[in-house]
Amino acid sequence: MTSLGEFGLIARLIRGRIQPASTLLGPGDDAAVVAAPDSRVVVSTDMLVEGVHFRLDWSSPEQVGRKAAAVNIADVVAMGAMPTALLIGLGCPPDTSLATVEELTEGLWAEAGSVGAGVVGGDVVSAPQIVVSVTVLADLGGRAPVTRAGARPGDVLALAGRVGWAAAGLDLLAKGLGTPPEVVGAQQVPCPPYLAGPAAALVGATAMIDISDGLLADVGHLARSSGVAVDVRSAALVVPAPLREAAVALGLDPMRWLLTGGEDHALAATFPADTALLTGWTRIGVVREGTGVYLDGQVHDGAAGWDHFASA
Amino acid sequence: MTSLGEFGLIARLIRGRIQPASTLLGPGDDAAVVAAPDSRVVVSTDMLVEGVHFRLDWSSPEQVGRKAAAVNIADVVAMGAMPTALLIGLGCPPDTSLATVEELTEGLWAEAGSVGAGVVGGDVVSAPQIVVSVTVLADLGGRAPVTRAGARPGDVLALAGRVGWAAAGLDLLAKGLGTPPEVVGAQQVPCPPYLAGPAAALVGATAMIDISDGLLADVGHLARSSGVAVDVRSAALVVPAPLREAAVALGLDPMRWLLTGGEDHALAATFPADTALLTGWTRIGVVREGTGVYLDGQVHDGAAGWDHFASA
């Protein structure tokens, strides 16, 4: 990789890429220029570190690139915005193969392309291990951002996307298991319901959050920001067959994955009670006066990452 | 640091900070919202890695934070844009002291504040060494971006800011020397002429570049992007007294620092010949038909980082 040098490497990584119309000036100058038709830009950044957030014996470079893009895109769609552009800061050891860097970048482009965004810039530097830092820009299309703070008593809580899959996949990988493949795959690359975010904003979501830490933990963040209590109804959470299979293989309770597993980047949102929920959204609870998160009316105390967000 | 946890740490780092009016929604939600009054956003990202781009025995955490912000801000002002917001991805070992993280963040805020920008978001993760990835957003205020590609034969080449200081400081530090302190300090924290960038755009700069790799190398990038030749006049580059002093101490030719030293983040720009240059800009050369960069009319071949950009 070093034989190419930084300039040669960057040229390789952007060669032949097609930028969307929102990329007014792409990579190659001191900075890029991206359209912001709304006159506001939604922006978020996340960093993934080899050995901490991913392992190259568990994930391919292409999967790491997809995941790095996905965790960022999930953050801006959770505000109700549409992604326009990604930037990547990539640190890698000097002996990293060009193929590894190209595959990682391929994954980033693929995930960005799935939402119509371009990769408009980046920086490639030497580092002792692979570090991927992604920033995503997004446009609100004239809508107000959907924060975590707008939930009101009487709203319903709804969920879009999968929960528990990535955590189950991690438990399988930690035991050296490769099946069910769709569960392991969920740990390697999340599959966030990107369009459900802007769609929820369009029908009047009052609050929304990207579930990165676990359903109960993140609904707890939403409840705290909104100054409300949220009741989650476990009966609304159906354990999918592959997670049931994984739970049997590992001798675990699959509901723990659904309630506390992170990294799937589902979306949780609250809506006025009379909202007709869009396809892809499932009602899983209600908002009421008070503080904290409850499971079936009880303060939940059985799961890691949960206790310190609750208050009765 | 780990005792605080990620949420506690982020809360500490943003507590009491005053955001500029352009920060419509600051840190604490899934993403931030930043004003983009121009309906275009200029964006750039750079990553600094401990042991590669900085050493904590040579620089304080506050200096690292300032430098991480400065190298990014320089990229967007070189497009003629005004910075509005910064985001930070920060990786650090679990045993990093809270004081170190706070000082680094303090440096980032101080440098961002010097140009009226806020720090609107970030991510703090565990990593084997400190990694700082900064992204900067900026606004063009209705002006066209000043790229590297607009220089025309007959234009003048002008310079704003210092060149050679950071390279001289690095050579001093490598020899264990701490004086002249202003030269060592230039390696620790660059002092880019931020406002000279948008100002140059206002008076009609045809091309501009942030000098991060060295004057001749970066003017070479500008010449190549513009499809022109550029003649740099060495007589226009005066060696400042502290660099002369450093050169005597090290037995080196100080002009080499001025011509090839990077990391000061001066700006080089081209202007139509009849432009009245603003204060802070010095004429250092001319643009003519052809390709490549010349020093006093000769292809320069005496300095690292230079040869492969030249073509007669």
Side-chain angles (χ1 to χ4, degrees):
Chain A
M1 192 189 101
T2 45
S3 64
L4 271 179
E6 183 186 350
F7 300 116
L9 182 62
I10 291 173
R12 278 289 285 270
L13 300 182
I14 63 180
R15 190 175 58 190
R17 299 290 181 182
I18 307 223
Q19 294 282 353
S22 56
T23 304
L24 304 178
L25 181 67
D29 216 295
D30 288 306
V33 184
V34 178
D38 177 78
S39 296
R40 294 170 298 175
V41 62
V42 176
V43 61
S44 182
T45 196
D46 276 299
M47 183 180 274
L48 305 187
V49 179
E50 182 181 4
V52 178
H53 302 93
F54 63 88
R55 291 170 47 163
L56 286 175
D57 55 339
W58 285 1
S59 299
S60 71
E62 194 260 351
Q63 290 172 328
V64 172
R66 289 196 85 111
K67 185 170 185 168
V71 301
N72 277 276
I73 295 171
D75 277 327
V76 292
V77 300
M79 307 299 288
M82 286 293 291
T84 52
L86 276 72
L87 294 95
I88 180 174
L90 177 61
C92 41
D95 63 355
T96 306
S97 74
L98 179 60
T100 294
V101 176
E102 285 189 329
E103 284 167 33
L104 195 153
T105 311
E106 183 62 40
L108 195 81
W109 272 97
E111 200 71 15
S114 76
V115 290
V119 180
V120 299
D123 191 22
V124 182
V125 302
S126 175
Q129 70 292 316
I130 293 182
V131 182
V132 190
S133 186
V134 172
T135 300
V136 58
L137 308 187
D139 192 82
L140 284 163
R143 297 179 297 276
V146 183
T147 70
R148 302 174 177 181
R152 295 292 167 259
D155 285 353
V156 299
L157 174 72
L159 176 72
R162 312 189 301 193
V163 288
W165 289 68
L170 186 62
D171 285 347
L172 289 169
L173 284 165
K175 295 284 186 187
L177 301 176
T179 59
E182 62 270 45
V183 182
V184 172
Q187 168 60 33
Q188 292 160 325
V189 182
C191 186
Y194 296 132
L195 293 181
L202 278 169
V203 299
T206 52
M208 186 152 47
I209 191 166
D210 160 40
I211 302 178
S212 53
D213 297 322
L215 175 61
L216 293 177
D218 284 312
V219 168
H221 293 146
L222 185 152
R224 192 164 51 175
S225 294
S226 294
V228 296
V230 179
D231 266 313
V232 176
R233 304 287 162 80
S234 63
L237 298 167
V238 180
V239 179
L243 292 200
R244 202 178 307 274
E245 187 185 331
V248 168
L250 295 168
L252 297 173
D253 173 6
M255 274 307 283
R256 192 171 184 281
W257 289 324
L258 271 67
L259 294 170
T260 67
E263 294 196 272
D264 290 298
H265 300 279
L267 297 173
T270 56
F271 299 88
D274 59 356
T275 306
L277 293 183
L278 296 167
T279 304
W281 285 95
T282 303
R283 178 176 170 154
I284 62 162
V286 295
V287 179
R288 59 177 176 75
E289 297 202 11
T291 57
V293 177
Y294 295 76
L295 182 64
D296 301 325
Q298 305 286 316
V299 172
H300 184 72
D301 60 2
W306 156 241
D307 285 334
H308 56 289
F309 297 112
S311 65
Chain B
M1 193 189 100
T2 45
S3 65
L4 269 180
E6 181 184 350
F7 300 116
L9 181 62
I10 290 173
R12 278 287 286 270
L13 300 183
I14 63 180
R15 190 174 57 190
R17 299 290 182 182
I18 307 223
Q19 293 282 351
S22 57
T23 304
L24 304 177
L25 181 68
D29 216 295
D30 287 306
V33 184
V34 177
D38 177 78
S39 296
R40 295 169 297 174
V41 61
V42 175
V43 61
S44 182
T45 196
D46 276 299
M47 182 180 275
L48 304 188
V49 179
E50 182 181 4
V52 178
H53 301 93
F54 62 89
R55 291 170 47 162
L56 285 176
D57 54 340
W58 285 0
S59 299
S60 71
E62 194 260 352
Q63 290 172 328
V64 172
R66 290 196 83 112
K67 185 170 184 168
V71 301
N72 276 277
I73 295 171
D75 277 327
V76 292
V77 300
M79 306 299 288
M82 285 294 290
T84 53
L86 276 72
L87 294 95
I88 179 173
L90 177 61
C92 41
D95 63 356
T96 306
S97 74
L98 179 60
T100 294
V101 176
E102 285 189 329
E103 285 167 32
L104 195 152
T105 311
E106 183 61 40
L108 196 81
W109 272 97
E111 199 71 15
S114 76
V115 291
V119 180
V120 301
D123 191 21
V124 182
V125 302
S126 174
Q129 70 292 317
I130 293 181
V131 182
V132 190
S133 186
V134 172
T135 300
V136 58
L137 309 187
D139 192 81
L140 284 163
R143 297 180 296 277
V146 183
T147 71
R148 302 173 177 182
R152 296 291 167 258
D155 286 352
V156 299
L157 174 71
L159 177 71
R162 311 190 300 192
V163 288
W165 289 67
L170 186 62
D171 284 348
L172 289 169
L173 284 165
K175 294 284 184 187
L177 301 177
T179 58
E182 62 270 45
V183 181
V184 171
Q187 168 59 33
Q188 292 160 326
V189 182
C191 185
Y194 295 132
L195 294 181
L202 278 170
V203 299
T206 52
M208 187 153 46
I209 191 166
D210 160 39
I211 302 178
S212 53
D213 296 322
L215 176 61
L216 293 177
D218 284 313
V219 168
H221 293 147
L222 185 153
R224 190 163 53 172
S225 294
S226 294
V228 296
V230 180
D231 266 313
V232 175
R233 304 286 161 80
S234 64
L237 298 167
V238 179
V239 180
L243 291 199
R244 201 178 309 274
E245 186 185 331
V248 168
L250 295 168
L252 296 173
D253 173 7
M255 275 306 284
R256 191 170 185 282
W257 289 325
L258 271 68
L259 293 170
T260 68
E263 293 197 271
D264 290 298
H265 301 280
L267 297 172
T270 55
F271 298 87
D274 58 357
T275 306
L277 293 183
L278 296 167
T279 303
W281 285 95
T282 303
R283 178 175 170 154
I284 63 161
V286 295
V287 180
R288 59 177 177 75
E289 296 202 13
T291 57
V293 177
Y294 296 76
L295 182 64
D296 301 325
Q298 305 286 315
V299 171
H300 185 71
D301 61 1
W306 157 242
D307 286 334
H308 55 291
F309 297 111
S311 66

